Amino acid sequence: MKTLLIAFFTLVSFTSIQDKKTITATFDGIENEAFYFSDDADTAHVFDAISDETSKKFDLKNENFIGQNFKITYSTETILDEMENKMEVLTIEDLEILSE
């Protein structure tokens, strides 16, 4: 039991905490499986993934959403790649369309 408890705490210590944020931005399209948005200051926001639930609500592969404004809730997770370098992965957790 002690070994199991130590293994659990070790696993938890290596797992990064996901931080959720919200922005408003315009959908620019998909390229190389990444989702591109830009805000009013022309800052580009690139998201690596989209949650299954959100992708069911909005099929961003449909070009009809390009140019639409969204309220985007996303999570940021820091992971290690194969070379042990830290990488930030941004995942769209929820979308709310602001204009049609």
Side-chain angles (χ1 to χ4, degrees), residues 16-75:
S16 65
I17 298 173
Q18 291 186 354
D19 182 28
K20 288 193 179 181
K21 297 178 184 175
T22 302
I23 61 167
T24 301
T26 302
F27 182 56
D28 297 322
I30 299 174
E31 187 175 317
N32 297 327
E33 298 186 31
F35 303 90
Y36 288 81
F37 290 80
S38 56
D39 61 20
D40 290 339
D42 285 331
T43 301
H45 300 274
V46 182
F47 299 93
D48 306 293
I50 187 168
S51 71
D52 290 338
E53 184 177 315
T54 303
S55 67
K56 289 177 186 173
K57 287 176 23 182
F58 294 98
D59 178 12
L60 294 181
K61 293 178 182 175
N62 182 337
E63 292 186 4
N64 291 335
F65 289 114
I66 293 175
Q68 297 294 315
N69 292 319
F70 287 92
K71 177 181 173 184
I72 307 158
T73 302
Y74 66 97
S75 63

Side-chain angles (χ1 to χ4, degrees), residues 4 13 15 17-18 35 42 51 59 68 77-78 84 91 96:
L4 182 61
S13 67
T15 304
I17 298 173
Q18 291 186 354
F35 303 90
D42 285 331
S51 71
D59 178 12
Q68 297 294 315
E77 183 178 11
T78 303
E84 299 295 318
T91 301
E96 180 182 326

